[in-house]
Amino acid sequence: MPNQAIDKKRILTRIRKIKGQVDALEKALESGQECQLLLQQIASFRGAANGLMNDILQTHLRDELRELLPPGDPQLSKVDELAGLINSYLK
């Protein structure tokens, strides 16, 4: 679980958006929408879920590594750099 309240709020917002996308897919399926629309919606929430996983991974990495370093340690900037690097490879 994210240690920072702002991280938790951001992640919950992402989850709620994904929930909305899944609800929209369910409604589209129930109303008999074309497969192309359904596939677009699936691709959309799949991308959102991947983004959520990336966000949680980065938050976890930052939280765990920051616990190992004393406040004000210059290595804290390296934690952010590493998290950004991981983010770029997971996109």
Side-chain angles (χ1 to χ4, degrees):
M1 188 62 173
N3 293 336
Q4 305 289 323
I6 193 165
D7 291 332
K8 183 176 180 180
K9 182 179 179 183
R10 184 185 66 251
I11 290 169
L12 284 171
T13 299
R14 278 182 172 261
I15 289 170
R16 289 180 184 120
K17 287 179 182 179
I18 293 169
K19 181 180 176 188
Q21 290 173 319
V22 172
D23 290 344
L25 174 63
E26 181 180 8
K27 289 177 186 174
L29 185 60
E30 287 174 345
S31 68
Q33 293 292 325
E34 295 292 324
C35 286
Q36 183 177 357
L37 175 66
L38 299 175
L39 291 169
Q40 282 179 316
Q41 288 180 306
I42 292 168
S44 178
F45 76 75
R46 181 177 61 183
N50 286 340
L52 172 64
M53 184 169 41
N54 185 13
D55 196 359
I56 291 175
L57 177 61
Q58 283 189 50
T59 300
H60 177 68
L61 175 70
R62 285 186 176 114
D63 288 349
E64 292 298 314
L65 291 178
R66 284 188 176 135
E67 285 182 12
L68 299 175
L69 299 171
D73 189 307
Q75 294 296 319
L76 287 172
S77 64
K78 292 288 186 183
V79 171
D80 291 330
E81 184 181 320
L82 180 59
L85 180 65
I86 290 170
N87 180 41
S88 68
Y89 282 103
L90 291 179
K91 283 189 173 184

